[in-house]
């Protein structure tokens, strides 16, 4: 095998040992020590694309996007001819380019990976539908639903709980490998992990306790807020606690056909795809509202005034 007319041998034992040790350190959270070893690996095998791919991966973990881009460009330049389509080297380069808003490079990376990308100069715009995304995966994680803007960005459509530190309408950069699935209407969707916040939302999150006599009353509030251009979500119906193992697996219960909680409901949060069938309706609901502070009270008052004998609210509070 030749690269740039130079023969390339299989990686040396020293390279393999150095790289294996580096990934052990990455698993232990010792990114600086791992980085020193991966730099040494590039010195040992500078003509090996894997050397630069691994270094680019480390820089992605560290959110050092300039270095991730530089190492990623070296990695793709050394790929064997004809092996670019589907290569993770291009995907990671696309993530780094998206983080840096280097849209020309992002387009080049997604196209080289094998995706059809429209021409243009600004952000890559693709109709990739909705997907679940895990916010704050290294902390008190929460799986919410969002709209995929391109292969590396999701606009959050759910109203996250305040513990995630995220808001409705924010755009998050996400990784390419899935951790688990969620099922909606019988269709499985991969769950992607957030890497970092890409674009913040100016819309605050409020929590309120509703008295909604029927599901229709609750639905009317969600409709009213949506028509104003914002969002309301009945957290009592949509939020469930899951252990991490279940959160990162295929959640068949998310198809809405069962209201049973997981037997070890003590960990990361997830969202049901829609309200479980057959549950008894409880009028008191905890609801998240994403709307400007000056508008929230007005929308709630309008909702109550339309059916004051069936509707009420209390304990309205801005939480994020």
């Amino acid at each position: 095998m030749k690269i740039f007319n130079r023969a390339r041998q299989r990686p040396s034992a020293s390279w393999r040992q150095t790289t294996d040790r580096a990934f052990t350190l990455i698993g232990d959270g010792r990114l600086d020590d791992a980085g020193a070893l991966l730099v040494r690996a590039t010195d040992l095998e500078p003509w090996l694309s894997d050397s630069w791919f691994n270094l680019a991966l480390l820089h992605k973990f560290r959110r050092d996007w300039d270095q991730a881009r530089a190492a990623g460009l070296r990695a793709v330049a050394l790929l064997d001819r004809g092996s670019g389509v589907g290569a993770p080297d291009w995907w990671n380069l696309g993530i780094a380019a998206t983080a840096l808003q280097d849209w020309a490079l992002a387009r080049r990376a997604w196209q080289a990976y094998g995706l059809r990308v429209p021409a243009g100069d600004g952000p890559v715009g693709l109709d990739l539908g909705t997907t679940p995304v895990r916010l704050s995966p290294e902390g008190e994680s929460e799986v919410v639903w969002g709209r995929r803007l391109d292969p590396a960005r999701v606009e959050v459509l759910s109203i996250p709980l305040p513990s995630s530190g995220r808001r409705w309408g924010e755009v998050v950069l996400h990784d390419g490998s899935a951790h688990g699935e969620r099922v909606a209407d019988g269709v499985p969707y991969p769950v992607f992990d957030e890497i970092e916040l890409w674009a913040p939302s100016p819309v605050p999150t409020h929590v309120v306790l509703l008295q909604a006599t029927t599901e229709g009353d609750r639905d009317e509030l969600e409709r009213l807020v949506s028509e104003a251009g914002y969002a309301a979500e009945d957290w009592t119906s949509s939020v469930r606690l899951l252990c991490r193992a279940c959160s990162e697996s295929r959640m068949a219960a998310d198809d809405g056909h069962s209201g049973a909680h997981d037997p070890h409901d003590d960990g990361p949060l997830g969202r049901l795809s829609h309200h479980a069938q057959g549950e008894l309706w409880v009028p008191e609901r905890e609801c998240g509202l994403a709307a400007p502070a000056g508008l929230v009270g007005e929308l709630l008052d309008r909702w109550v005034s339309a059916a004051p004998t069936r509707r009420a609210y209390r304990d309205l509070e801005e939480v994020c």
Side-chain angles (χ1 to χ4, degrees):
M1 184 182 301
K2 292 186 176 182
I3 296 180
F4 300 146
N5 297 317
R6 295 185 58 168
R8 189 186 75 181
Q9 305 298 322
R10 292 185 178 276
S12 65
S14 295
W15 183 92
R16 293 195 299 269
Q17 292 168 359
T18 300
T19 301
D20 289 346
R21 176 57 180 160
F23 277 93
T24 298
L25 292 174
I26 289 173
D28 293 338
R30 297 170 58 185
L31 298 186
D32 289 342
D33 293 335
L37 289 177
L38 290 178
V39 168
R40 181 167 180 263
T42 63
D43 292 335
L44 291 169
E45 300 284 355
W47 302 105
L48 184 63
S49 62
D50 286 352
S51 296
W52 299 99
F53 170 78
N54 292 335
L55 189 59
L57 199 64
L58 174 81
H59 290 313
K60 182 182 75 172
F61 295 153
R62 298 172 69 175
R63 317 297 190 253
D64 187 341
W65 299 116
D66 285 318
Q67 292 298 322
R69 176 174 57 184
L73 285 168
R74 294 288 296 270
V76 298
L78 293 169
L79 285 173
D80 296 333
R81 182 173 298 177
S83 67
V85 175
D89 311 68
W90 283 112
W91 195 278
N92 273 338
L93 183 58
I95 292 175
T98 301
L100 293 167
Q101 301 185 45
D102 184 345
W103 300 120
L105 181 58
R107 279 184 169 79
R108 177 187 166 202
W110 303 135
Q111 289 170 343
Y113 184 82
L115 302 178
R116 298 182 64 178
V117 179
D121 297 324
V124 177
L126 297 174
D127 184 11
L128 299 178
T130 58
T131 191
V133 61
R134 182 174 290 104
L135 304 177
S136 304
E138 297 174 358
E140 191 172 341
S141 63
E142 178 182 359
V143 176
V144 300
W145 287 83
R147 180 170 64 95
R148 294 192 75 184
L149 305 177
D150 61 31
R153 293 181 301 149
V154 168
E155 178 187 10
V156 176
L157 299 179
S158 301
I159 302 178
L161 296 177
S163 57
S164 73
R166 294 285 173 260
R167 289 175 166 182
W168 170 83
E170 290 188 325
V171 177
V172 298
L173 191 72
H174 69 81
D175 219 337
S177 58
H179 281 165
E181 290 183 339
R182 295 296 183 271
V183 179
D185 297 325
V187 179
Y189 294 83
V191 180
F192 298 105
D193 285 350
E194 173 196 350
I195 297 176
E196 67 180 13
L197 178 64
W198 190 87
S201 169
V203 181
T205 303
H206 299 79
V207 63
V208 65
L209 287 178
L210 303 178
Q211 285 293 324
T213 303
T214 68
E215 290 184 68
D217 290 317
R218 184 274 316 275
D219 294 345
E220 180 61 21
L221 176 62
E222 292 181 348
R223 183 195 64 78
L224 187 68
V225 177
S226 177
E227 288 181 351
Y230 299 99
E233 183 177 336
D234 181 1
W235 284 342
T236 300
S237 290
S238 67
V239 177
R240 65 179 302 191
L241 291 172
L242 303 171
C243 74
R244 185 167 295 278
C246 285
S247 178
E248 296 180 358
S249 68
R250 179 187 176 98
M251 292 305 301
D254 278 2
D255 63 5
H257 295 304
S258 171
H261 287 282
D262 191 87
H264 35 296
D265 286 348
D266 59 0
L269 292 160
R271 297 304 174 98
L272 298 172
S273 56
H274 47 73
H275 178 59
Q277 303 297 316
E279 277 189 10
L280 292 176
W281 181 256
V282 178
E284 184 168 272
R285 322 295 296 178
E286 185 178 51
C287 182
L289 288 166
L295 183 61
V296 170
E298 177 185 330
L299 291 170
L300 286 166
D301 289 340
R302 194 186 311 168
W303 173 71
V304 171
S305 65
T309 61
R310 299 199 313 268
R311 304 171 186 173
Y313 73 91
R314 61 183 173 86
D315 299 340
L316 175 63
E317 179 184 3
E318 183 175 322
V319 291
C320 182

